[in-house]
Amino acid sequence: MKLLVTGGCGFIGSNFIRHLLAAHPDDSVVNLDKLTYAGNPANLADVAGDPRYRFVHGDICDASLVRDAAKDADAVINFAAESHVDRSLMEPDAFLKTDVFGVFTLLEAVRELKIPRLLHVSTDEVYGSVERGSSRESDPLRPSNPYSASKAGGDLLALAYWQTHRVPVVITRSSNNFGPYQYPEKMIPLFVTNALEDQPLPLYGDGKNVRDWLYVLDNCTAIDLVLRKGGDGEVYNVGGGHEVENVVLTRQILRLTGRPETLIRPVKDRPGHDRRYSLDSKKVQQLGWKPRHPFGAALEATVAWYRGHEAWWRPLKSGEFRAYYEKQYGRR
Ligand code: NAD
Ligand code: DAU
């Protein structure tokens, strides 16, 4: 297959492109990425020379560029997004542009070019906080922050294009991913790298919010399966099945990095902080997917990766990140 991947220089997109090139020798990839603060060509340095890979620098909101990049594609897979909840509380504009208007631009291109598949990567956050039980694909969307509201907007638009124009969309909604190449603003890489730097770990509120963690390589195999086997107009939840309170995970990270619990710094809670996410993933399991990486081993491998890749994350924690960090958490 010839694939157009958007947002492939970010965390999940870069892991997905690497997975794809290794798992499917006959596939080729065009990667269209705007290179925002979260987009990093270094994430794909090892495949940049592969003749089956081509990078295009640009914005998914740019209709003519998208049409050009998509023209020979058998499928489009959209990872491009503004993805960090805390940033959506400070500067929501870019979230609406990319996560809603950008999806619209892709839908129009897929419709016009009659591309047989658009896989849109979404999130469990669109269901909002789930106090009990687990979200199913048919549950109502109740997003509670500008990031999840804009992701829900993109999802609804995609499903509407299936209903009205039969644009062949399929959506995955995954839980919290972790693993190599995750930008160090997100909890796990932030806490691991702060611990390695002997800096405090800023834990929001009472630390008892629950997330369901999914190793990024397991998400890649789910996306790959849904791309090839998923039904048009369908949504597939992809949950890791490992729910844990933030404070418990924080202690685990400190153990793995060999740092003391005194590094935990309770800080003011995130406004509108969803208490718990939980996904019912039976539908994607019926397609034949299951996570292959047990949480403990995957977390250990992730900590080892950050330990071994200081040259990757240290530059990311200066410059733009430092300004963001000071605004978010105050001066260190
Ligand atoms: P990320 O922030 O690491 O990467 C996003 C990528 O998109 C970057 O390379 C960035 O340069 C690119 N991008 C942003 N705006 C763009 C635009 N207008 N045009 C082209 N490229 C643009 O994000 P991620 O964590 O890899 O998430 C990828 C997708 O998965 C997102 O849609 C996100 O909502 C979803 N998701 C993420 C998680 C998670 O835990 N990280 C969980 C569920 C769903
Ligand atoms: O659930 C899927 C979502 O997971 C994705 O759609 C988002 O793109 C991704 O960013 C992530 O959102 P979260 O808000 O759950 O992830 P984050 O890493 O920001 O936070 C995880 C938990 O840790 C959350 O309860 C907030 C808490 N936290 C986070 C940070 C950054 C802290 O306590 N301190 C922090 O400094």
Side-chain angles (χ1 to χ4, degrees):
M1 280 210 279
K2 289 189 204 141
L3 300 166
L4 172 63
V5 170
T6 56
C9 291
F11 164 48
I12 307 176
S14 60
N15 277 286
F16 180 77
I17 290 176
R18 187 174 296 102
H19 156 84
L20 194 95
L21 292 172
H24 303 284
D26 295 332
D27 285 2
S28 61
V29 182
V30 173
N31 171 18
L32 171 66
D33 196 296
K34 187 179 176 181
L35 298 182
T36 67
Y37 77 92
N40 184 355
N43 295 359
L44 287 169
D46 54 330
V47 302
D50 190 317
R52 296 174 296 145
Y53 173 77
R54 183 164 69 89
F55 175 65
V56 176
H57 186 197
D59 191 331
I60 59 164
C61 298
D62 180 340
S64 70
L65 181 74
V66 166
R67 269 199 305 272
D68 215 41
K71 70 177 178 303
D72 297 320
D74 300 308
V76 177
I77 305 156
N78 180 36
F79 294 91
E82 289 296 332
S83 69
H84 192 41
V85 174
D86 293 317
R87 290 186 189 249
S88 82
L89 304 176
M90 297 180 200
E91 287 170 13
D93 313 35
F95 288 76
L96 295 172
K97 284 188 189 121
T98 295
D99 300 5
V100 183
F101 192 81
V103 176
F104 159 72
T105 310
L106 294 174
L107 287 162
E108 280 293 321
V110 169
R111 173 157 94 114
E112 191 185 311
L113 297 169
K114 299 190 178 13
I115 296 171
R117 171 122 292 183
L118 168 58
L119 188 151
H120 175 58
V121 177
S122 187
T123 168
D124 61 0
E125 292 211 15
V126 296
Y127 299 114
S129 196
V130 187
E131 302 302 320
R132 277 176 303 281
S134 299
S135 306
R136 302 189 60 182
E137 289 84 352
S138 52
D139 284 357
L141 305 191
R142 299 186 200 283
S144 36
N145 60 61
Y147 161 67
S148 52
S150 57
K151 288 298 291 186
D155 284 23
L156 292 174
L157 200 58
L159 293 172
Y161 266 64
W162 163 247
Q163 288 300 334
T164 52
H165 303 305
R166 286 295 184 244
V167 170
V169 299
V170 62
I171 295 175
T172 59
R173 292 185 182 140
S174 87
S175 58
N176 285 60
N177 284 222
F178 69 102
Y181 300 103
Q182 186 167 28
Y183 192 80
E185 66 190 349
K186 306 283 167 39
M187 184 204 183
I188 288 186
L190 178 70
F191 282 16
V192 170
T193 58
N194 276 15
L196 294 175
E197 294 181 296
D198 296 301
Q199 292 293 328
L201 276 47
L203 186 62
Y204 295 160
D206 64 3
K208 290 185 184 284
N209 299 66
V210 171
R211 295 294 183 268
D212 168 9
W213 293 96
L214 170 68
Y215 192 50
V216 65
L217 298 184
D218 285 327
N219 192 18
C220 291
T221 57
I223 291 169
D224 194 0
L225 182 69
V226 171
L227 173 71
R228 287 158 214 271
K229 300 266 170 61
D232 289 336
E234 298 290 334
V235 177
Y236 296 87
N237 288 342
V238 184
H242 186 86
E243 292 183 29
V244 61
E245 284 182 355
N246 290 339
V247 63
V248 174
L249 175 55
T250 304
R251 290 199 191 106
Q252 224 169 331
I253 289 171
L254 287 169
R255 271 199 304 279
L256 288 170
T257 49
R259 299 304 195 272
E261 291 196 6
T262 48
L263 275 186
I264 299 177
R265 174 170 299 170
V267 296
K268 203 157 98 26
D269 207 354
R270 171 189 278 172
H273 193 177
D274 285 332
R275 194 65 171 166
R276 173 175 174 260
Y277 301 133
S278 177
L279 287 176
D280 178 329
S281 306
K282 280 192 204 78
K283 191 169 162 183
V284 73
Q285 285 162 3
Q286 277 159 11
L287 277 189
W289 177 82
K290 65 173 180 200
R292 305 232 166 246
H293 297 86
F295 178 78
L299 185 64
E300 218 177 304
T302 301
V303 170
W305 189 88
Y306 284 91
R307 255 190 214 287
H309 288 77
E310 284 201 16
W312 180 85
W313 58 263
R314 278 205 187 273
L316 297 180
K317 290 190 90 174
S318 57
E320 191 279 342
F321 180 83
R322 182 154 293 274
Y324 158 76
Y325 196 87
E326 285 174 4
K327 206 163 152 192
Q328 173 67 11
Y329 303 97
R331 272 177 196 283
R332 294 203 215 175

